[in-house]
Amino acid sequence: KKNRIQVSTNKKPLFFYVNLAKRYMQQYNEIELSALGMAIGTVVTVAEILKNNGLATEKKILTSTVGTKDEAKGRLVRKAKIEILLGKKNSNDDDSADKEAAHEATEADAKK
């Protein structure tokens, strides 16, 4: 997939993936972050940074276990896998929620 970012723990620093995800978000309406094993924490952190900065919304999280071949030992090793699908956050999403909250506050004041 063109909109998938596969995160590794030993290749790039955290903010490389954050900045890459920001660029992908400008190109695509949604992106998929995926990782195996120890890189799962990095993927979750990248997703949370994007959500907290108002750039993305969480659409789906998938977890699974996959078998990979351990080159050193020559045997099959089971690893945890995560895939997080993020959608582009519309600027009017926040506006409508803010307007709704303001409207409810105004109605509550009027009833007092």
Side-chain angles (χ1 to χ4, degrees):
K1 286 182 176 179
K2 290 182 178 181
N3 64 337
R4 177 184 288 163
I5 298 172
Q6 293 180 300
V7 176
S8 168
T9 54
N10 58 1
K11 290 188 178 155
K12 305 282 185 207
L14 173 70
F15 277 92
F16 168 82
Y17 293 112
V18 172
N19 291 325
L20 183 62
K22 284 179 182 179
R23 279 188 271 142
Y24 272 44
M25 275 296 198
Q26 291 171 349
Q27 284 183 291
Y28 306 103
N29 285 332
E30 59 184 32
I31 62 168
E32 183 181 301
L33 302 171
S34 69
L36 294 176
M38 298 300 287
I40 289 174
T42 305
V43 160
V44 172
T45 303
V46 170
E48 287 300 313
I49 289 170
L50 294 170
K51 285 169 34 184
N52 290 337
N53 287 337
L55 300 171
T57 57
E58 192 177 287
K59 286 188 159 187
K60 192 189 307 185
I61 298 177
L62 301 169
T63 59
S64 60
T65 308
V66 295
T68 60
K69 183 141 182 165
D70 186 336
E71 296 299 325
K73 298 176 183 166
R75 63 186 173 104
L76 195 67
V77 178
R78 308 283 293 162
K79 285 193 174 182
K81 178 180 182 180
I82 192 167
E83 296 170 282
I84 301 176
L85 189 65
L86 297 173
K88 190 183 284 189
K89 188 164 189 169
N90 297 332
S91 58
N92 59 4
D93 286 351
D94 283 342
D95 292 346
S96 60
D98 291 343
K99 285 177 187 170
E100 181 69 28
H103 178 70
E104 288 174 9
T106 304
E107 282 184 351
D109 287 342
K111 290 178 183 176
K112 287 182 183 175

mmCIF file of all heavy atoms in Angstrom, residues 41-80:
data_model
loop_
_atom_site.group_PDB
_atom_site.id
_atom_site.type_symbol
_atom_site.label_atom_id
_atom_site.label_comp_id
_atom_site.label_asym_id
_atom_site.label_seq_id
_atom_site.Cartn_x
_atom_site.Cartn_y
_atom_site.Cartn_z
ATOM 1 N N GLY A 41 5.361 0.124 20.394
ATOM 2 C CA GLY A 41 5.307 1.328 21.220
ATOM 3 C C GLY A 41 5.559 2.589 20.420
ATOM 4 O O GLY A 41 4.922 3.625 20.647
ATOM 5 N N THR A 42 6.468 2.506 19.464
ATOM 6 C CA THR A 42 6.769 3.661 18.608
ATOM 7 C C THR A 42 5.561 4.032 17.759
ATOM 8 O O THR A 42 5.228 5.213 17.623
ATOM 9 C CB THR A 42 7.989 3.361 17.713
ATOM 10 O OG1 THR A 42 9.087 2.974 18.541
ATOM 11 C CG2 THR A 42 8.376 4.563 16.876
ATOM 12 N N VAL A 43 4.892 3.033 17.193
ATOM 13 C CA VAL A 43 3.707 3.283 16.365
ATOM 14 C C VAL A 43 2.605 3.954 17.187
ATOM 15 O O VAL A 43 1.981 4.911 16.729
ATOM 16 C CB VAL A 43 3.180 1.960 15.746
ATOM 17 C CG1 VAL A 43 1.739 2.088 15.302
ATOM 18 C CG2 VAL A 43 4.018 1.571 14.568
ATOM 19 N N VAL A 44 2.386 3.466 18.395
ATOM 20 C CA VAL A 44 1.352 4.043 19.256
ATOM 21 C C VAL A 44 1.705 5.496 19.580
ATOM 22 O O VAL A 44 0.842 6.379 19.539
ATOM 23 C CB VAL A 44 1.183 3.208 20.546
ATOM 24 C CG1 VAL A 44 0.269 3.900 21.536
ATOM 25 C CG2 VAL A 44 0.644 1.827 20.199
ATOM 26 N N THR A 45 2.974 5.756 19.872
ATOM 27 C CA THR A 45 3.408 7.123 20.183
ATOM 28 C C THR A 45 3.217 8.047 18.991
ATOM 29 O O THR A 45 2.724 9.174 19.142
ATOM 30 C CB THR A 45 4.887 7.126 20.630
ATOM 31 O OG1 THR A 45 5.026 6.248 21.754
ATOM 32 C CG2 THR A 45 5.353 8.518 21.005
ATOM 33 N N VAL A 46 3.573 7.607 17.797
ATOM 34 C CA VAL A 46 3.388 8.413 16.583
ATOM 35 C C VAL A 46 1.908 8.734 16.396
ATOM 36 O O VAL A 46 1.537 9.884 16.145
ATOM 37 C CB VAL A 46 3.956 7.691 15.335
ATOM 38 C CG1 VAL A 46 3.540 8.398 14.053
ATOM 39 C CG2 VAL A 46 5.472 7.581 15.416
ATOM 40 N N ALA A 47 1.053 7.732 16.546
ATOM 41 C CA ALA A 47 -0.387 7.941 16.382
ATOM 42 C C ALA A 47 -0.913 8.940 17.413
ATOM 43 O O ALA A 47 -1.707 9.833 17.080
ATOM 44 C CB ALA A 47 -1.134 6.611 16.509
ATOM 45 N N GLU A 48 -0.470 8.836 18.656
ATOM 46 C CA GLU A 48 -0.930 9.740 19.709
ATOM 47 C C GLU A 48 -0.454 11.179 19.459
ATOM 48 O O GLU A 48 -1.198 12.124 19.711
ATOM 49 C CB GLU A 48 -0.468 9.255 21.084
ATOM 50 C CG GLU A 48 -1.227 8.034 21.576
ATOM 51 C CD GLU A 48 -2.713 8.270 21.707
ATOM 52 O OE1 GLU A 48 -3.123 9.305 22.276
ATOM 53 O OE2 GLU A 48 -3.487 7.421 21.232
ATOM 54 N N ILE A 49 0.757 11.339 18.975
ATOM 55 C CA ILE A 49 1.264 12.685 18.657
ATOM 56 C C ILE A 49 0.405 13.316 17.568
ATOM 57 O O ILE A 49 0.001 14.476 17.668
ATOM 58 C CB ILE A 49 2.749 12.635 18.239
ATOM 59 C CG1 ILE A 49 3.626 12.325 19.463
ATOM 60 C CG2 ILE A 49 3.190 13.943 17.582
ATOM 61 C CD1 ILE A 49 5.067 12.007 19.141
ATOM 62 N N LEU A 50 0.089 12.551 16.526
ATOM 63 C CA LEU A 50 -0.740 13.071 15.430
ATOM 64 C C LEU A 50 -2.144 13.418 15.922
ATOM 65 O O LEU A 50 -2.707 14.444 15.538
ATOM 66 C CB LEU A 50 -0.810 12.056 14.290
ATOM 67 C CG LEU A 50 0.503 11.792 13.556
ATOM 68 C CD1 LEU A 50 0.353 10.608 12.616
ATOM 69 C CD2 LEU A 50 0.970 13.020 12.807
ATOM 70 N N LYS A 51 -2.714 12.579 16.786
ATOM 71 C CA LYS A 51 -4.055 12.846 17.320
ATOM 72 C C LYS A 51 -4.044 14.067 18.230
ATOM 73 O O LYS A 51 -4.917 14.923 18.130
ATOM 74 C CB LYS A 51 -4.570 11.628 18.076
ATOM 75 C CG LYS A 51 -5.004 10.498 17.164
ATOM 76 C CD LYS A 51 -5.271 9.189 17.875
ATOM 77 C CE LYS A 51 -5.846 9.300 19.249
ATOM 78 N NZ LYS A 51 -5.999 8.001 19.930
ATOM 79 N N ASN A 52 -3.054 14.149 19.117
ATOM 80 C CA ASN A 52 -2.990 15.273 20.061
ATOM 81 C C ASN A 52 -2.719 16.603 19.379
ATOM 82 O O ASN A 52 -3.099 17.655 19.891
ATOM 83 C CB ASN A 52 -1.930 15.013 21.140
ATOM 84 C CG ASN A 52 -2.340 13.911 22.089
ATOM 85 O OD1 ASN A 52 -3.520 13.622 22.245
ATOM 86 N ND2 ASN A 52 -1.366 13.275 22.705
ATOM 87 N N ASN A 53 -2.064 16.580 18.223
ATOM 88 C CA ASN A 53 -1.811 17.802 17.463
ATOM 89 C C ASN A 53 -2.980 18.149 16.545
ATOM 90 O O ASN A 53 -2.903 19.104 15.772
ATOM 91 C CB ASN A 53 -0.528 17.676 16.635
ATOM 92 C CG ASN A 53 0.708 17.742 17.495
ATOM 93 O OD1 ASN A 53 0.693 18.282 18.587
ATOM 94 N ND2 ASN A 53 1.802 17.185 16.996
ATOM 95 N N GLY A 54 -4.057 17.367 16.597
ATOM 96 C CA GLY A 54 -5.249 17.655 15.808
ATOM 97 C C GLY A 54 -5.095 17.357 14.324
ATOM 98 O O GLY A 54 -5.848 17.871 13.511
ATOM 99 N N LEU A 55 -4.141 16.506 13.968
ATOM 100 C CA LEU A 55 -3.905 16.198 12.558
ATOM 101 C C LEU A 55 -4.623 14.938 12.092
ATOM 102 O O LEU A 55 -4.817 14.740 10.893
ATOM 103 C CB LEU A 55 -2.400 16.029 12.302
ATOM 104 C CG LEU A 55 -1.546 17.250 12.629
ATOM 105 C CD1 LEU A 55 -0.071 16.892 12.555
ATOM 106 C CD2 LEU A 55 -1.861 18.385 11.669
ATOM 107 N N ALA A 56 -4.999 14.083 13.031
ATOM 108 C CA ALA A 56 -5.576 12.796 12.641
ATOM 109 C C ALA A 56 -6.609 12.331 13.654
ATOM 110 O O ALA A 56 -6.592 12.747 14.813
ATOM 111 C CB ALA A 56 -4.473 11.758 12.525
ATOM 112 N N THR A 57 -7.479 11.453 13.189
ATOM 113 C CA THR A 57 -8.414 10.765 14.067
ATOM 114 C C THR A 57 -8.200 9.270 13.882
ATOM 115 O O THR A 57 -7.871 8.808 12.788
ATOM 116 C CB THR A 57 -9.880 11.109 13.745
ATOM 117 O OG1 THR A 57 -10.132 10.789 12.372
ATOM 118 C CG2 THR A 57 -10.182 12.558 13.993
ATOM 119 N N GLU A 58 -8.417 8.538 14.937
ATOM 120 C CA GLU A 58 -8.234 7.091 14.923
ATOM 121 C C GLU A 58 -9.437 6.448 14.257
ATOM 122 O O GLU A 58 -10.569 6.719 14.643
ATOM 123 C CB GLU A 58 -8.127 6.660 16.379
ATOM 124 C CG GLU A 58 -7.675 5.282 16.627
ATOM 125 C CD GLU A 58 -7.570 5.085 18.122
ATOM 126 O OE1 GLU A 58 -6.628 5.620 18.737
ATOM 127 O OE2 GLU A 58 -8.456 4.421 18.669
ATOM 128 N N LYS A 59 -9.188 5.608 13.267
ATOM 129 C CA LYS A 59 -10.294 4.931 12.590
ATOM 130 C C LYS A 59 -10.387 3.461 12.994
ATOM 131 O O LYS A 59 -11.476 2.944 13.198
ATOM 132 C CB LYS A 59 -10.120 5.017 11.076
ATOM 133 C CG LYS A 59 -10.415 6.374 10.508
ATOM 134 C CD LYS A 59 -10.416 6.301 9.014
ATOM 135 C CE LYS A 59 -11.187 7.454 8.419
ATOM 136 N NZ LYS A 59 -11.340 7.306 6.991
ATOM 137 N N LYS A 60 -9.235 2.797 13.074
ATOM 138 C CA LYS A 60 -9.255 1.369 13.361
ATOM 139 C C LYS A 60 -7.908 0.946 13.927
ATOM 140 O O LYS A 60 -6.873 1.471 13.527
ATOM 141 C CB LYS A 60 -9.518 0.593 12.064
ATOM 142 C CG LYS A 60 -9.848 -0.865 12.269
ATOM 143 C CD LYS A 60 -9.900 -1.679 10.991
ATOM 144 C CE LYS A 60 -10.787 -1.132 9.915
ATOM 145 N NZ LYS A 60 -10.893 -2.026 8.760
ATOM 146 N N ILE A 61 -7.930 0.009 14.859
ATOM 147 C CA ILE A 61 -6.704 -0.592 15.382
ATOM 148 C C ILE A 61 -6.845 -2.101 15.256
ATOM 149 O O ILE A 61 -7.831 -2.675 15.733
ATOM 150 C CB ILE A 61 -6.452 -0.220 16.859
ATOM 151 C CG1 ILE A 61 -6.275 1.287 17.003
ATOM 152 C CG2 ILE A 61 -5.224 -0.956 17.391
ATOM 153 C CD1 ILE A 61 -6.097 1.749 18.422
ATOM 154 N N LEU A 62 -5.875 -2.721 14.615
ATOM 155 C CA LEU A 62 -5.870 -4.172 14.463
ATOM 156 C C LEU A 62 -4.633 -4.741 15.127
ATOM 157 O O LEU A 62 -3.534 -4.208 14.940
ATOM 158 C CB LEU A 62 -5.859 -4.562 12.982
ATOM 159 C CG LEU A 62 -7.016 -4.078 12.128
ATOM 160 C CD1 LEU A 62 -6.727 -4.312 10.658
ATOM 161 C CD2 LEU A 62 -8.282 -4.792 12.530
ATOM 162 N N THR A 63 -4.805 -5.811 15.893
ATOM 163 C CA THR A 63 -3.655 -6.496 16.468
ATOM 164 C C THR A 63 -3.699 -7.951 16.027
ATOM 165 O O THR A 63 -4.776 -8.515 15.814
ATOM 166 C CB THR A 63 -3.656 -6.432 18.012
ATOM 167 O OG1 THR A 63 -4.852 -7.025 18.496
ATOM 168 C CG2 THR A 63 -3.552 -4.996 18.497
ATOM 169 N N SER A 64 -2.523 -8.535 15.888
ATOM 170 C CA SER A 64 -2.440 -9.929 15.488
ATOM 171 C C SER A 64 -1.074 -10.474 15.886
ATOM 172 O O SER A 64 -0.233 -9.751 16.424
ATOM 173 C CB SER A 64 -2.660 -10.073 13.976
ATOM 174 O OG SER A 64 -1.683 -9.344 13.273
ATOM 175 N N THR A 65 -0.879 -11.738 15.614
ATOM 176 C CA THR A 65 0.419 -12.378 15.831
ATOM 177 C C THR A 65 0.851 -12.978 14.504
ATOM 178 O O THR A 65 0.049 -13.616 13.817
ATOM 179 C CB THR A 65 0.301 -13.490 16.891
ATOM 180 O OG1 THR A 65 -0.312 -12.957 18.051
ATOM 181 C CG2 THR A 65 1.664 -14.022 17.265
ATOM 182 N N VAL A 66 2.100 -12.741 14.135
ATOM 183 C CA VAL A 66 2.608 -13.264 12.866
ATOM 184 C C VAL A 66 3.857 -14.098 13.123
ATOM 185 O O VAL A 66 4.585 -13.872 14.086
ATOM 186 C CB VAL A 66 2.936 -12.126 11.863
ATOM 187 C CG1 VAL A 66 1.685 -11.396 11.460
ATOM 188 C CG2 VAL A 66 3.955 -11.169 12.425
ATOM 189 N N GLY A 67 4.078 -15.054 12.264
ATOM 190 C CA GLY A 67 5.280 -15.878 12.356
ATOM 191 C C GLY A 67 6.360 -15.304 11.462
ATOM 192 O O GLY A 67 6.120 -15.019 10.292
ATOM 193 N N THR A 68 7.547 -15.081 12.026
ATOM 194 C CA THR A 68 8.686 -14.623 11.236
ATOM 195 C C THR A 68 9.849 -15.575 11.460
ATOM 196 O O THR A 68 9.956 -16.203 12.521
ATOM 197 C CB THR A 68 9.118 -13.192 11.633
ATOM 198 O OG1 THR A 68 9.481 -13.193 13.009
ATOM 199 C CG2 THR A 68 8.025 -12.188 11.392
ATOM 200 N N LYS A 69 10.717 -15.679 10.475
ATOM 201 C CA LYS A 69 11.850 -16.592 10.597
ATOM 202 C C LYS A 69 13.008 -15.895 11.289
ATOM 203 O O LYS A 69 13.445 -14.831 10.873
ATOM 204 C CB LYS A 69 12.265 -17.072 9.211
ATOM 205 C CG LYS A 69 13.378 -18.072 9.241
ATOM 206 C CD LYS A 69 13.202 -19.148 8.227
ATOM 207 C CE LYS A 69 14.348 -20.119 8.377
ATOM 208 N NZ LYS A 69 14.115 -21.350 7.703
ATOM 209 N N ASP A 70 13.495 -16.486 12.363
ATOM 210 C CA ASP A 70 14.661 -15.982 13.081
ATOM 211 C C ASP A 70 15.893 -16.464 12.327
ATOM 212 O O ASP A 70 16.197 -17.663 12.306
ATOM 213 C CB ASP A 70 14.649 -16.512 14.520
ATOM 214 C CG ASP A 70 15.755 -15.913 15.358
ATOM 215 O OD1 ASP A 70 16.773 -15.480 14.788
ATOM 216 O OD2 ASP A 70 15.608 -15.887 16.597
ATOM 217 N N GLU A 71 16.603 -15.541 11.696
ATOM 218 C CA GLU A 71 17.757 -15.896 10.861
ATOM 219 C C GLU A 71 18.869 -16.557 11.675
ATOM 220 O O GLU A 71 19.518 -17.481 11.215
ATOM 221 C CB GLU A 71 18.300 -14.652 10.138
ATOM 222 C CG GLU A 71 17.324 -14.027 9.153
ATOM 223 C CD GLU A 71 16.916 -14.959 8.023
ATOM 224 O OE1 GLU A 71 17.749 -15.762 7.564
ATOM 225 O OE2 GLU A 71 15.748 -14.888 7.610
ATOM 226 N N ALA A 72 19.088 -16.075 12.905
ATOM 227 C CA ALA A 72 20.175 -16.609 13.730
ATOM 228 C C ALA A 72 19.896 -18.050 14.159
ATOM 229 O O ALA A 72 20.794 -18.893 14.137
ATOM 230 C CB ALA A 72 20.388 -15.722 14.947
ATOM 231 N N LYS A 73 18.656 -18.322 14.544
ATOM 232 C CA LYS A 73 18.318 -19.653 15.072
ATOM 233 C C LYS A 73 17.682 -20.561 14.024
ATOM 234 O O LYS A 73 17.566 -21.765 14.241
ATOM 235 C CB LYS A 73 17.393 -19.512 16.281
ATOM 236 C CG LYS A 73 18.040 -18.761 17.432
ATOM 237 C CD LYS A 73 17.080 -18.542 18.574
ATOM 238 C CE LYS A 73 17.749 -17.712 19.662
ATOM 239 N NZ LYS A 73 16.807 -17.202 20.631
ATOM 240 N N GLY A 74 17.245 -19.963 12.907
ATOM 241 C CA GLY A 74 16.655 -20.748 11.828
ATOM 242 C C GLY A 74 15.310 -21.358 12.159
ATOM 243 O O GLY A 74 14.928 -22.383 11.620
ATOM 244 N N ARG A 75 14.573 -20.743 13.074
ATOM 245 C CA ARG A 75 13.251 -21.271 13.435
ATOM 246 C C ARG A 75 12.200 -20.173 13.346
ATOM 247 O O ARG A 75 12.516 -18.995 13.268
ATOM 248 C CB ARG A 75 13.270 -21.892 14.818
ATOM 249 C CG ARG A 75 13.592 -20.926 15.924
ATOM 250 C CD ARG A 75 13.736 -21.671 17.254
ATOM 251 N NE ARG A 75 14.206 -20.761 18.275
ATOM 252 C CZ ARG A 75 13.462 -20.242 19.234
ATOM 253 N NH1 ARG A 75 12.191 -20.555 19.318
ATOM 254 N NH2 ARG A 75 13.971 -19.429 20.134
ATOM 255 N N LEU A 76 10.954 -20.604 13.401
ATOM 256 C CA LEU A 76 9.840 -19.667 13.314
ATOM 257 C C LEU A 76 9.607 -19.015 14.679
ATOM 258 O O LEU A 76 9.543 -19.696 15.699
ATOM 259 C CB LEU A 76 8.576 -20.407 12.864
ATOM 260 C CG LEU A 76 7.424 -19.558 12.380
ATOM 261 C CD1 LEU A 76 7.798 -18.852 11.074
ATOM 262 C CD2 LEU A 76 6.193 -20.414 12.163
ATOM 263 N N VAL A 77 9.501 -17.696 14.682
ATOM 264 C CA VAL A 77 9.261 -16.946 15.908
ATOM 265 C C VAL A 77 7.946 -16.186 15.750
ATOM 266 O O VAL A 77 7.705 -15.571 14.720
ATOM 267 C CB VAL A 77 10.416 -15.937 16.167
ATOM 268 C CG1 VAL A 77 10.154 -15.114 17.409
ATOM 269 C CG2 VAL A 77 11.736 -16.659 16.267
ATOM 270 N N ARG A 78 7.102 -16.225 16.785
ATOM 271 C CA ARG A 78 5.831 -15.510 16.761
ATOM 272 C C ARG A 78 6.052 -14.097 17.285
ATOM 273 O O ARG A 78 6.681 -13.906 18.322
ATOM 274 C CB ARG A 78 4.792 -16.220 17.632
ATOM 275 C CG ARG A 78 4.613 -17.688 17.341
ATOM 276 C CD ARG A 78 3.820 -18.012 16.132
ATOM 277 N NE ARG A 78 2.429 -17.632 16.252
ATOM 278 C CZ ARG A 78 1.635 -17.510 15.198
ATOM 279 N NH1 ARG A 78 2.080 -17.731 14.001
ATOM 280 N NH2 ARG A 78 0.394 -17.149 15.357
ATOM 281 N N LYS A 79 5.545 -13.098 16.565
ATOM 282 C CA LYS A 79 5.682 -11.705 16.983
ATOM 283 C C LYS A 79 4.332 -11.014 16.952
ATOM 284 O O LYS A 79 3.512 -11.276 16.080
ATOM 285 C CB LYS A 79 6.640 -10.948 16.053
ATOM 286 C CG LYS A 79 8.083 -11.275 16.264
ATOM 287 C CD LYS A 79 8.948 -10.277 15.554
ATOM 288 C CE LYS A 79 10.413 -10.519 15.889
ATOM 289 N NZ LYS A 79 11.262 -9.540 15.241
ATOM 290 N N ALA A 80 4.152 -10.100 17.901
ATOM 291 C CA ALA A 80 2.934 -9.292 17.921
ATOM 292 C C ALA A 80 3.007 -8.277 16.786
ATOM 293 O O ALA A 80 4.080 -7.791 16.438
ATOM 294 C CB ALA A 80 2.808 -8.573 19.259
#
